[in-house]
Amino acid sequence: GQNIDQPTEMTATEGAIVQINCTYQTSGFNGLFWYQQHAGEAPTFLSYNVLDGLEEKGRFSSFLSRSKGYSYLLLKELQMKDSASYLCAVRDRGSQGNLIFGKGTKLSVKP
Amino acid sequence: GAGVSQSPRYKVTKRGQDVALRCDPISGHVSLYWYRQALGQGPEFLTYFNYEAQQDKSGLPNDRFSAERPEGSISTLTIQRTEQRDSAMYRCASSLGWPSYGYTFGSGTRLTVV
């Protein structure tokens, strides 16, 4: 089976940097995804990691360590619009496509 | 279409009634997924299709739930004899295919069973 853990809530200040951690346990591993979900809206795709290391995409970066079952999402130069839930999701090696999502981390950005 | 379209946007039904939820994926997207999301939780996998073939239905809670995608495009999720515990946001997503493509989610159908 799979188990994905991430903090329930985080608070950060506008302009700052925040790191949202995700740990996972799966019987296999075939990729890790991060999604952003604003309240009342659909999740939107942010990043995908399948190899170890850091993937940078503008203000957002995602890191993966497969040996540690660990990922983080790094958000730089926080803006008020970054207030949202951030969902970590893992694709099991045995799965051809479906993702298993964590419960999400609700990030509140304060002025 | 430009995005994943789901209908209806909201559905209120009486306990015991059957409901059908529709998903129209992005044109050309091979894979289609159904998820259920409770408030404050991440999406929970229900089932998925590649073209018209249902690849995995292990997430369907029980045999009251079924899904089809007969022509490899539009999909319908049907819940028979609805119960109050079925109340949730039902989300459809589509993708070009495996392995690396992120999903595009639809706006969802908010189902309330009274």
Side-chain angles (χ1 to χ4, degrees), chain A residues 49-106:
Chain A
N49 295 70
V50 67
L51 299 176
D52 291 351
L54 188 68
E55 294 281 342
E56 297 189 74
K57 194 184 289 186
R59 293 190 299 115
F60 292 6
S61 303
S62 57
F63 172 83
L64 174 67
S65 169
R66 288 172 296 171
S67 62
K68 295 181 180 178
Y70 168 68
S71 173
Y72 67 72
L73 181 69
L74 193 71
L75 291 77
K76 303 175 187 175
E77 301 168 18
L78 280 173
Q79 302 175 10
M80 298 298 290
K81 66 178 182 179
D82 297 330
S83 293
S85 286
Y86 291 85
L87 300 162
C88 174
V90 172
R91 183 163 54 209
D92 188 280
R93 186 187 301 278
S95 163
Q96 292 183 40
N98 59 290
L99 303 184
I100 306 301
F101 283 84
K103 294 183 178 181
T105 298
K106 184 177 180 181

Side-chain angles (χ1 to χ4, degrees), chain A residues 30 33 35 37 40-45 48 87 91 95-104, chain B residues 9 33 35 37 40-43 45 48 50 55-56 91 98-103 105-107:
Chain A
N30 207 355
F33 294 73
Y35 281 79
Q37 186 173 24
E41 297 183 9
T44 55
F45 170 73
Y48 168 69
L87 300 162
R91 183 163 54 209
S95 163
Q96 292 183 40
N98 59 290
L99 303 184
I100 306 301
F101 283 84
K103 294 183 178 181
Chain B
R9 186 73 175 90
Y33 310 82
Y35 281 79
Q37 188 172 20
Q41 301 290 313
F45 171 73
Y48 92 96
N50 281 340
Q55 298 292 327
D56 185 348
R91 295 198 184 275
W98 187 74
S100 64
Y101 299 101
Y103 299 172
F105 279 91
S107 297

Side-chain angles (χ1 to χ4, degrees), chain B residues 5-79:
Chain B
S5 177
Q6 291 188 246
S7 61
R9 186 73 175 90
Y10 301 93
K11 177 70 176 177
V12 180
T13 190
K14 291 185 177 180
R15 186 164 51 94
Q17 297 294 307
D18 298 350
V19 295
L21 312 180
R22 174 190 165 111
C23 173
D24 192 351
I26 293 173
S27 178
H29 276 198
V30 168
S31 302
L32 184 148
Y33 310 82
W34 283 100
Y35 281 79
R36 179 169 67 175
Q37 188 172 20
L39 200 61
Q41 301 290 313
E44 173 194 18
F45 171 73
L46 296 177
T47 185
Y48 92 96
F49 296 82
N50 281 340
Y51 299 101
E52 71 282 359
Q54 192 170 21
Q55 298 292 327
D56 185 348
K57 55 181 181 179
S58 63
L60 296 176
N62 51 60
D63 60 8
R64 295 186 297 106
F65 288 72
S66 62
E68 62 174 10
R69 193 187 185 197
E71 297 179 359
S73 180
I74 292 169
S75 177
T76 302
L77 177 70
T78 301
I79 308 173

